[in-house]
Amino acid sequence: MLDVVTMGEVMVQFNACTNGPLRHVVYFEKHAAGAEANFAIGMSRLGFKVGFITRVSDDEFGKYVLSLLRGEGLDVSRVKVDPEAPNGVYFIQRNYPIPGRSSVIYYRRGSAASRMSIDDLDPEYIRNAGLFHLTGITPALSESCREASLKALEIASDSGVKISIDTNIRLSLWSREEARETLLPMLRKANIVLIEPQDAEILIGKREPREIADEILSMGVETVAVKLGAEGAAAYTRDEEARKPAYRVPIVDVIGAGDAFAAGFISSLLRGGSLAEALEVGNAAGALVVTVRGDFENMPSLEDIEKFLAAQRRETIILR
Ligand code: KDG
């Protein structure tokens, strides 16, 4: 039995080696990433058995993605190789036009993963999982992905499998209205919701963590984590709340931090951690990931989280 099953697109990432507009960038580093894959790799490194549902292309990029997922210990028995479509690819433009911010340029329309449909779902695979995780990216990929996401949630919810949803709204994939219409009913099925204030603004018109949490808890969700970027994160249940600041680390590439937080936070809750402990583990994973280029490379093991947190407690990390 798998502890976690998730479903999403894994793209090949070309991360600019220098800052500035992409037309002047000469060198790129090749990585692979995708919000659900980052989460899945994080959970696997943290000791959970994880199954991944996706489609990849039947070429070098598809082979790269598949060997990466397999190499990270994920169950890839439900990954399909689609000979009819290319793999999704994206480029990261760094520190321009806003210093300190990266932008993402996708080449993913019509990609192999965007052709996922309910035919890619094996209900037993989801029913036997401990947790089904989805982000707002997968339903935004295409109509068939939206249907498959809804179906996967229905299967999980009908069979009592816990559901976590990270809203991850990408406005280059769909409109605010589409995001709201699709994601709100999905959140009602979730046990755990992870959200950022800008997504909450789109979904429920609120930006303040306590108000966001109250609204989402009132939908029947058990635990809400509000990701606050450089300010850390806050988490809420009906009876408890906690807030933890982010750890200060040298920042190289913030993309993937939210997925690392999700893996750390959820892994800790699944192990019976308190909200405060789960926030610490989530923040630690997020902090480690932003110190390198690429999304998941620095996803830590449990042992490395413990070393990181112990060092923080001893205040031995000099970070400026
Ligand atoms: O959360 C990180 C992701 O945003 C990045 O890996 C790319 O999956 C991605 C997406 O669709 O934005």
Side-chain angles (χ1 to χ4, degrees), residues 55-77:
R55 286 197 197 187
V56 298
S57 57
D58 187 14
D59 59 10
E60 287 303 319
F61 283 169
K63 287 191 175 98
Y64 167 50
V65 166
L66 189 51
S67 70
L68 168 80
L69 300 179
R70 194 179 279 128
E72 290 290 338
L74 308 189
D75 177 72
V76 293
S77 60

Side-chain angles (χ1 to χ4, degrees), residues 108-128:
R108 69 194 309 186
R109 189 159 301 149
S111 67
S114 75
R115 288 152 51 90
M116 276 190 289
S117 72
I118 49 176
D119 298 336
D120 293 70
L121 302 178
D122 168 2
E124 280 312 297
Y125 194 67
I126 296 171
R127 272 183 207 131
N128 288 325

Side-chain angles (χ1 to χ4, degrees), residues 9-11 13 32-38 90 92 104 106 108 135 137 141 168 170 172-173 254-259 295:
E9 174 159 39
V10 195
M11 293 179 289
Q13 175 195 98
E36 300 78 9
N38 302 338
Y90 71 120
I92 296 185
V104 163
Y106 298 132
R108 69 194 309 186
T135 90
I137 295 173
L141 295 178
N168 266 349
R170 301 286 183 262
S172 45
L173 296 177
V254 295
I255 298 179
D259 310 325
D295 287 16

